[in-house]
Amino acid sequence: MSETSPLLFTEIDHVAIAVDDLEAAINYYADTFGAEVDHREVVESDGVEEALLKVADSYIQLLTPTREDSPVAKYLAKKGQGLHHIGYRVADCGVALEAVKAQGFRVIDEAPRPGSRGTTVAFVHPKDAFGTLIELVEE
Ligand code: CO
């Protein structure tokens, strides 16, 4: 049995959903569930436009590609629309990322980097994470 680590997640920051039509998805959540846009941003380095819909202290993050070679465009072409990743809030992105590496698990980002709305983020590889793309989010 492996030793357990102290809990590094403090909240679920966001659930990210890849969509073809951002406006249609925003309208769906607003009209159906009353979830409204709290923040919108184009993250040019990732080739995505995102809309964050606030739900209590967490967000629904609707993602759409801004160019054909972005990872989200490739994801949509391969898998279609749907759940893309889970963002877990952490106190210290670097500490959480090192914890993943210390266990010998693969990461996508070797070091924390800037995310949307001023956060610091790092992605963990889904292959070692039971099929879920994990984003570590430090506010
Ligand atoms: Co995210």
Side-chain angles (χ1 to χ4, degrees), residues 80-92:
Q81 301 186 99
L83 191 59
H84 184 265
H85 67 269
I86 310 269
Y88 293 105
R89 212 169 285 154
V90 295
D92 187 319

Side-chain angles (χ1 to χ4, degrees), residues 14 16 61 85 123 135:
H14 62 273
Q61 181 184 61
H85 67 269
F123 281 90
E135 180 180 11

Side-chain angles (χ1 to χ4, degrees), residues 50-66:
E50 67 170 52
L52 290 170
L53 287 52
K54 205 160 199 289
V55 179
D57 288 329
S58 302
Y59 297 93
I60 300 160
Q61 181 184 61
L62 302 173
L63 286 175
T64 204
T66 57

Side-chain angles (χ1 to χ4, degrees), residues 5-20:
S5 178
L7 179 61
L8 296 176
F9 299 154
T10 60
E11 307 250 13
I12 294 181
D13 187 80
H14 62 273
V15 173
I17 299 157
V19 301
D20 292 320

Side-chain angles (χ1 to χ4, degrees), residues 9-70:
F9 299 154
T10 60
E11 307 250 13
I12 294 181
D13 187 80
H14 62 273
V15 173
I17 299 157
V19 301
D20 292 320
D21 184 336
L22 190 59
E23 302 311 320
I26 288 169
N27 289 336
Y28 170 85
Y29 278 95
D31 296 348
T32 310
F33 301 110
E36 300 209 21
V37 175
D38 186 73
H39 181 83
R40 275 185 87 142
E41 190 167 335
V42 172
V43 184
E44 212 41 73
S45 54
D46 289 336
V48 298
E49 180 172 3
E50 67 170 52
L52 290 170
L53 287 52
K54 205 160 199 289
V55 179
D57 288 329
S58 302
Y59 297 93
I60 300 160
Q61 181 184 61
L62 302 173
L63 286 175
T64 204
T66 57
R67 54 174 196 265
E68 271 176 31
D69 65 341
S70 86

